């Protein structure tokens, strides 16, 4: 059918003039709606497709590509408020590379996804502040560099628009702070170098951090989008709204595409720039003179922006001790020593993911049923060969050939359901594209540990002897966790074995991560109740180091009923392990510290970095120092409200909400001002007060401990339950008893081990006076 020129007026008042194919617009044409919307450009089969210009009665206009009635391809949208977006579109949504100039003169240049900034991009605020780095869902997330108009600069990691992870803060006066942040606040250990002090050489970091060879920050990068260049790139997105009319001809269902853009709140930080303690202030008065001789630096520790500990040193002393921060990941990862190493270790992770995906996918469709005795037997195994090129049952993959064995699949399938884990979520956490990451182990076993990308699951390599113990105890373990929903014992979700082509066998167990929480774990302890060798050398303690019994410098005071529930379960769990002749287990304890009330005679007033938001976008500004207002209480327990908190069990929790004596023996939630409302369960989100044992403080001279009592949130569980009291342990006990007090060593008879373990924890969690 040939096209012809013509004009058509519809019954609803719409008017079209241009080329027609039959009765439908086709080719070039102009369409006008009664409410003032006008489109002029290409048509195909009655739909807007090709190049054209769309103008709304509000004053908005779009010029660029269309497809099937959608803004799709590359084009420029000018909004009624004067903001302009030029870049990629997909189904009426900004998606791909693009540049938006806002009505308040802010500019974003970079990648978009589903209408929000996502990927790499640069945002320049009208007041001179600028961020270059990664974005996610419209907020600064990942690695990035923020420079403020006052000359301050931060290079490091971000999450949801706030500094989060490791980084370096450079002050306008030349001072540097190397440390970690959490939710926008300094949190953890760091080193502050005042202006003029000698800091670690940054030469090798300059390009990595965004500096030139002279140490000046580079902000000359220009990522202005060129539409002609964009047209040659690929844009990926999804549909949002459709342009339709009752007559079947294209028009917008809205006056112009919604502006879905939203920026994060600018970073907020209570930063103590310079000395904060009394001792530091006395030095500060003569700082300029000291800079030329032996300038001081500060080793510091913060909790949610509040300085709690500092040690004053000279920059000369620090120069050989300073270690550059690992900025390649938000979480510091140390490679374990493995027989594979490097590329082979990567293959091992891929094999593990392939095997778990196959196993869970195979067992999930099986109808649920009660576990039978045969499900624990030697024959209860799934075995499969995974050739690299694939087979009738397995997909091709980029790893090496391997044999896979899954132990007691029906038992672990029922355990996962008992722990209320969705099979799809389980597979996505472990087998998703983000993969696994290796973490260091504080133990002496030499095991390799992997952590799922969402921190929900820990995967540990097992010795053959440990695998045998686990399979022997599995029927009793299944019964115990079924009887006691609040058990603190490690949650096991699967046991697997990989056999590589040269015959090496690697065994794995998948467990819940007890520290999977939105709160930062500031201190980690592995507590056995023994004392011989149970300490960590000071120079080996890092922010994520798991310390030992003698390193614990706190007593933890809990609500009466919380403490009773805790020890009732600890006694039940220890009795279970004792009946299996298990020893060497420990309580993995994690403490999240809430910032104490700032003290005017110790801490300097903070500098608050606040935001000023216009109607359409946010900007960043730096206010003048001000005295802090009295902060709310660090922790608050209130009556449990299921609709106000997440009550879904996680991979490390399962059980009832605990009752607290302080709120009339009612089930309780924990409120953390400014953070969250959390459900209190055994071993999870448990509030306490940590009393610092000043009499046992063995800190180095010159270290200032600024507070004695802290509000803490406690996380804990019983781990390492796969060591039997066998002949090897009996010989170890005999030998060590000749040299040390038998009650101070780890290898003792299980009954004594259980009693000593409980007695030690009674001292860690004493009754309130």
């Amino acid at each position: 059918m040939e096209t012809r020129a013509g004009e058509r007026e519809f019954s609803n008042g719409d008017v079209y003039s241009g080329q027609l194919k039959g009765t439908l617009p086709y080719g070039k044409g102009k369409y006008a709606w009664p409410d003032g919307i006008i489109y002029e450009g290409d048509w195909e089969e009655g739909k807007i497709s090709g190049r054209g210009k769309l103008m709304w009665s509000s004053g908005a206009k779009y010029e660029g590509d269309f497809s099937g009635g959608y803004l799709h391809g590359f084009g420029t949208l000018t909004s009624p408020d004067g903001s302009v977006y030029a870049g990629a579109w997909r189904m009426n949504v900004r998606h791909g590379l693009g540049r938006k100039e806002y009505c308040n003169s802010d500019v974003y240049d970079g990648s978009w996804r589903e209408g929000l900034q996502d990927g790499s991009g640069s945002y320049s605020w009208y007041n001179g502040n600028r961020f270059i780095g990664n974005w996610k869902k419209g907020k600064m997330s990942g690695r990035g560099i923020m420079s403020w108009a006052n000359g301050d600069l931060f290079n490091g990691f971000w999450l949801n628009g706030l500094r989060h992870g490791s980084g370096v803060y450079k002050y306008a006066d030349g001072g540097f702070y190397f440390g970690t942040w959490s939710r926008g606040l300094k949190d953890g250990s760091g080193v502050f170098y005042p202006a003029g002090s000698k800091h670690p050489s940054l030469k090798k970091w300059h390009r990595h951090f965004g500096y030139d060879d002279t140490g000046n920050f580079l902000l000359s990068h220009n990522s202005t989008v060129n539409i002609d260049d964009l047209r040659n790139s690929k844009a990926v997105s999804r549909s949002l709204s459709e342009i339709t009319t009752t007559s079947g001809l294209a028009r917008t269902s809205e006056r112009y595409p919604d502006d879905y853009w939203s920026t994060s709140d600018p970073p907020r930080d209570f930063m103590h720039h310079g000395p904060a303690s009394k001792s530091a202030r006395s030095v500060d008065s003569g700082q300029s003179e000291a800079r030329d001789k032996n300038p001081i630096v500060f080793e510091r520790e913060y909790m949610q922006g509040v300085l709690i500990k500092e040690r004053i040193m000279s920059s000369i002393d620090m120069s050989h001790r300073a270690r550059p921060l690992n900025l390649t990941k938000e979480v510091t990862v140390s490679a374990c020593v493995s027989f594979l190493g490097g590329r082979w270790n990567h293959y091992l992770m891929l094999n593990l993911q392939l095997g778990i995906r196959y196993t869970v996918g195979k067992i999930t469709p099986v109808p649920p049923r009660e576990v039978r005795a045969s499900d624990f037997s030697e024959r209860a195994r799934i075995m499969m060969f995974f050739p690299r090129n694939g087979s009738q049952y397995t997909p091709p993959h980029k790893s090496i050939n391997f044999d896979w064995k899954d132990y007691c699949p029906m038992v672990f399938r029922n355990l996962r359901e008992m722990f209320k884990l969705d099979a799809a979520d389980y597979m996505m956490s472990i087998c998703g594209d983000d993969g696994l990451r290796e973490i260091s182990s504080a133990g002496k076993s030499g095991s390799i540990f992997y952590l799922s990308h969402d921190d929900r699951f820990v995967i540990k390599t097992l010795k053959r002897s440990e695998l045998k113990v686990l399979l022997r105890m599995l029927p009793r373990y299944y019964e115990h966790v079924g009887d006691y929903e609040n058990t603190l014992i490690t949650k096991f979700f699967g046991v697997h074995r990989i056999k590589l082509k040269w015959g090496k066998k690697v065994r794995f167990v998948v467990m819940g991560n007890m520290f999977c929480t939105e709160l930062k774990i500031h201190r980690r302890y592995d507590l056995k109740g023994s004392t011989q060798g149970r300490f960590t050398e000071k120079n080996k303690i890092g922010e994520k180091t798991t310390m030992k019994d003698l390193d614990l410098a706190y007593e933890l005071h809990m609500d009466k009923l919380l403490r009773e529930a805790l020890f009732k379960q600890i006694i039940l769990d220890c009795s279970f392990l004792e009946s299996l002749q298990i020893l060497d287990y420990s309580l993995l304890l994690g403490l999240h510290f809430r910032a104490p009330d700032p003290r005017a005679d110790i801490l300097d007033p903070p500098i608050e970095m606040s935001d000023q938001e216009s109607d359409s976008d946010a900007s960043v500004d730096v206010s003048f120092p001000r005295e802090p207002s009295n902060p709310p209480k660090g922790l608050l327990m209130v009556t449990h409200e299921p609709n106000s908190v997440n009550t879904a069990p996680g991979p490390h929790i399962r059980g009832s909400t605990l009752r607290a004596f302080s709120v009339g023996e009612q089930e309780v939630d924990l409120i953390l001002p400014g953070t969250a409302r959390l459900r209190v369960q055994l071993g999870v989100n448990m509030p306490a007060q940590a009393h610092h044992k000043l009499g046992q403080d063995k800190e180095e001279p010159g270290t200032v401990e600024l507070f004695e009592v802290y509000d803490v949130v406690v996380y804990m569980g019983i781990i390492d339950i796969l060591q039997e009291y066998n002949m090897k342990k009996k010989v170890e006990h005999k030998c060590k008893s000749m040299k040390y007090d038998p009650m101070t060593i780890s290898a003792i008879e299980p009954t004594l081990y259980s009693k000593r373990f409980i007695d030690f924890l009674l001292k860690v969690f004493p009754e309130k006076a």
Side-chain angles (χ1 to χ4, degrees):
M1 186 179 294
E2 296 183 358
T3 60
R4 58 184 174 83
E7 182 171 323
R8 185 177 178 188
E9 185 171 346
F10 298 90
S11 59
N12 62 359
D14 295 353
V15 177
Y16 172 79
S17 60
Q19 294 177 303
L20 294 167
K21 188 174 184 179
T23 60
L24 297 177
Y26 192 96
K28 298 288 184 181
K30 181 178 180 180
Y31 197 103
W33 287 267
D35 55 7
I37 300 175
I38 299 174
Y39 169 75
E40 189 171 358
D42 297 333
W43 293 80
E44 185 176 342
E45 302 295 341
K47 292 186 177 180
I48 299 175
S49 291
R51 295 284 294 176
K53 181 188 295 184
L54 186 62
M55 294 167 286
W56 288 266
S57 55
S58 63
K61 62 180 180 180
Y62 170 83
E63 186 169 2
D65 295 335
F66 293 83
S67 179
Y70 293 93
L71 281 60
H72 188 91
F74 301 93
T76 301
L77 175 71
T78 303
S79 300
D81 61 5
S83 61
V84 178
Y85 171 79
W89 295 82
R90 175 74 183 264
M91 308 286 279
N92 285 3
V93 179
R94 288 181 287 271
H95 198 116
L97 293 179
R99 173 185 175 90
K100 183 167 182 179
E101 299 176 0
Y102 295 87
C103 57
N104 65 348
S105 299
D106 290 358
V107 176
Y108 174 77
D109 223 337
S111 179
W112 300 75
R113 184 177 179 84
E114 298 180 6
L116 299 173
Q117 298 97 328
D118 201 298
S120 299
S122 166
Y123 194 99
S124 300
W125 283 264
Y126 70 92
N127 59 7
N129 301 334
R130 189 176 187 189
F131 175 82
I132 300 175
N134 294 318
W135 297 75
K136 188 172 184 180
K137 295 183 179 179
K139 296 185 178 181
M140 298 175 284
S141 290
R143 179 70 187 278
I145 302 170
M146 171 71 89
S147 66
W148 286 269
N150 70 345
D152 286 1
L153 179 147
F154 174 78
N155 184 315
F157 286 96
W158 300 75
L159 181 66
N160 293 327
L162 300 173
R163 290 187 290 275
H164 190 88
S166 57
V168 179
Y169 198 103
K170 179 184 178 183
Y171 298 91
D173 64 3
F176 281 86
Y177 179 77
F178 295 74
T180 57
W181 280 256
S182 179
R183 297 171 182 254
L185 301 176
K186 289 178 182 172
D187 207 9
S189 302
V191 181
F192 173 66
Y193 297 86
S197 62
K198 182 180 179 182
H199 52 72
S201 173
L202 293 177
K203 201 166 187 179
K204 63 181 178 180
W205 298 93
H206 281 164
R207 293 296 176 184
H208 186 60
F209 273 50
Y211 295 91
D212 61 21
D213 291 334
T214 63
N216 296 317
F217 183 64
L218 296 172
L219 274 179
S220 59
H221 169 69
N222 189 343
S223 59
T224 301
V225 175
N226 184 305
I227 291 296
D228 293 333
D229 294 338
L230 283 176
R231 293 182 65 83
N232 297 321
S233 66
K234 293 182 179 179
V236 182
S237 61
R238 64 175 182 85
S239 61
L240 182 66
S241 61
E242 189 173 357
I243 304 177
T244 59
T245 65
T246 55
S247 64
L249 298 179
R251 62 160 295 168
T252 55
S253 58
E254 299 177 3
R255 290 300 174 262
Y256 59 92
D258 289 338
D259 186 349
Y260 289 96
W261 184 89
S262 64
T263 188
S264 63
D265 291 332
R268 299 169 182 266
D269 192 6
F270 296 90
M271 299 177 300
H272 301 282
H273 178 190
S277 67
K278 288 182 178 179
S279 59
R281 281 191 185 134
S282 63
V283 178
D284 188 41
S285 59
Q287 191 179 37
S288 59
E289 179 181 351
R291 286 174 186 166
D292 299 329
K293 297 179 180 178
N294 192 18
I296 60 171
V297 298
F298 303 88
E299 284 187 294
R300 290 180 167 176
E301 185 171 349
Y302 288 85
M303 287 180 191
Q304 295 111 46
V306 175
L307 179 65
I308 63 165
K309 187 186 293 186
E310 77 173 9
R311 184 164 179 255
I312 302 172
M313 298 185 67
S314 71
S315 58
I316 294 176
D317 293 335
M318 283 296 298
S319 61
H320 71 280
R321 296 183 55 186
R323 293 175 295 176
L325 295 170
N326 178 3
L327 292 180
T328 59
K329 285 186 178 289
E330 188 176 25
V331 178
T332 302
V333 178
S334 300
C336 298
V337 177
S338 84
F339 64 88
L340 293 168
R343 183 181 58 163
W344 298 110
N345 209 6
H346 173 68
Y347 288 155
L348 190 62
M349 286 191 283
L350 290 179
N351 294 353
L352 181 63
Q353 291 179 299
L354 286 166
I356 290 178
R357 185 184 291 115
Y358 173 83
T359 298
V360 177
K362 186 175 180 64
I363 195 67
T364 299
V366 176
R369 62 170 175 79
E370 291 295 323
V371 170
R372 307 164 185 157
S374 59
D375 293 321
F376 296 95
S377 70
E378 287 285 336
R379 301 182 63 181
R381 308 287 189 264
I382 294 178
M383 292 180 284
M384 182 58 61
F385 176 59
F386 284 79
R388 184 169 185 174
N389 295 328
S391 68
Q392 181 181 355
Y393 304 103
T394 63
H397 55 85
K398 297 181 180 179
S399 185
I400 54 179
N401 298 347
F402 68 98
D403 285 293
W404 173 261
K405 179 185 284 189
D406 181 64
Y407 295 88
C408 303
M410 183 56 73
V411 175
F412 285 105
R413 175 250 176 89
N414 281 21
L415 280 173
R416 290 192 293 269
E417 291 184 352
M418 188 185 298
F419 297 140
K420 295 182 170 57
L421 285 181
D422 180 76
D425 289 343
Y426 180 69
M427 282 194 292
M428 285 303 298
S429 291
I430 297 175
C431 309
D433 293 338
D434 292 329
L436 305 171
R437 63 181 186 269
E438 192 176 351
I439 57 177
S440 60
S441 167
K444 300 177 182 179
S445 65
S447 297
I448 302 172
F449 287 80
Y450 299 113
L451 193 63
S452 63
H453 71 92
D454 55 6
D455 294 342
R456 298 180 68 195
F457 302 99
V458 174
I459 302 173
K460 174 189 176 184
T461 57
L462 294 177
K463 297 177 182 177
R464 186 166 179 266
S465 59
E466 291 175 321
L467 174 63
K468 288 184 174 181
V469 171
L470 176 53
L471 295 177
R472 276 200 301 268
M473 74 184 304
L474 192 56
R476 293 281 307 279
Y477 172 86
Y478 186 88
E479 180 182 354
H480 182 77
V481 298
D483 291 342
Y484 302 105
E485 64 175 3
N486 291 321
T487 181
L488 292 171
I489 289 178
T490 304
K491 311 297 188 294
F492 293 129
F493 303 123
V495 178
H496 318 287
R497 190 197 74 184
I498 291 173
K499 182 180 178 182
L500 303 173
K501 60 182 180 181
W502 52 81
K504 184 66 180 180
K505 297 176 182 178
V506 189
R507 303 161 187 89
F508 295 93
V509 61
V510 183
M511 306 173 287
N513 177 16
M514 293 177 184
F515 294 157
C516 179
T517 170
E518 60 187 278
L519 304 181
K520 180 174 181 178
I521 303 298
H522 295 100
R523 293 285 189 278
R524 304 155 190 262
Y525 299 93
D526 181 272
L527 306 176
K528 292 181 180 291
S530 57
T531 56
Q532 187 59 47
R534 299 292 295 167
F535 67 92
T536 310
E537 296 180 20
K538 294 292 183 183
N539 61 350
K540 294 183 179 179
I541 295 179
E543 187 174 355
K544 295 189 180 294
T545 301
T546 301
M547 295 179 283
K548 301 176 183 177
D549 303 62
L550 296 178
D551 302 316
L552 183 60
Y554 303 97
E555 289 182 347
L556 303 174
H557 296 258
M558 280 187 174
D559 176 275
K560 177 182 176 182
L561 288 185
L562 298 186
R563 183 180 181 276
E564 287 179 3
L566 174 64
F567 279 97
K568 178 182 178 181
Q569 190 61 53
I570 287 177
I571 291 170
L572 286 170
D573 289 340
C574 288
S575 176
F576 164 71
L577 296 174
E578 181 185 331
S579 69
L580 294 170
Q581 292 292 287
I582 300 294
L583 75 161
D584 260 356
Y585 50 88
S586 56
L587 186 82
L588 184 62
L589 177 68
L591 303 179
H592 169 79
F593 285 76
R594 300 304 292 175
D597 292 351
R599 300 181 180 181
D601 61 335
I602 295 181
L603 299 181
D604 286 336
I607 298 176
E608 181 179 341
M609 307 184 72
S610 60
D611 59 309
Q612 299 174 347
E613 293 191 3
S614 66
D615 292 339
S616 59
D617 306 300
S619 60
V620 179
D621 195 9
V622 180
S623 64
F624 293 104
R626 60 176 177 81
E627 291 291 339
S629 59
N630 292 326
K633 180 176 173 62
L635 298 174
L636 178 64
M637 283 193 292
V638 296
T639 303
H640 175 57
E641 295 182 10
N643 295 331
S644 300
V645 294
N646 181 12
T647 56
H652 61 308
I653 57 176
R654 180 182 67 107
S656 59
T657 303
L658 296 186
R659 300 177 182 273
F661 181 79
S662 59
V663 294
E665 302 187 8
Q666 299 293 312
E667 292 183 345
V668 290
D669 295 336
L670 177 63
I671 292 181
L672 289 77
T675 304
R677 179 176 180 137
L678 305 170
R679 181 187 182 196
V680 179
Q681 293 177 273
L682 203 66
V684 182
N685 304 326
M686 297 184 72
Q689 277 196 330
H691 293 248
H692 190 253
K693 301 176 184 177
L694 296 178
Q696 300 181 23
D697 190 6
K698 298 181 181 180
E699 296 287 351
E700 298 177 42
T703 299
V704 181
E705 180 77 37
L706 299 180
F707 299 93
E708 298 178 10
V709 179
Y710 303 89
D711 286 323
V712 296
V713 184
V714 179
Y715 297 84
M716 70 184 87
I718 297 175
I719 64 170
D720 294 338
I721 64 169
L722 301 179
Q723 179 58 61
E724 288 181 321
Y725 190 56
N726 51 23
M727 184 57 66
K728 180 181 177 181
K729 283 294 177 181
K730 292 176 182 178
V731 172
E732 180 184 342
H733 171 76
K734 191 75 173 178
C735 295
K736 289 186 176 180
S737 295
M738 297 178 181
K739 187 176 181 180
Y740 307 109
D741 180 350
M743 290 306 295
T744 67
I745 61 178
S746 179
I748 59 174
E749 194 272 330
T751 301
L752 293 176
Y753 190 97
S754 173
K755 182 179 185 305
R756 184 183 64 186
F757 180 74
I758 295 171
D759 289 344
F760 177 77
L761 295 182
L762 286 170
K763 296 176 182 177
V764 175
F765 298 92
E767 288 188 272
K768 289 186 178 179

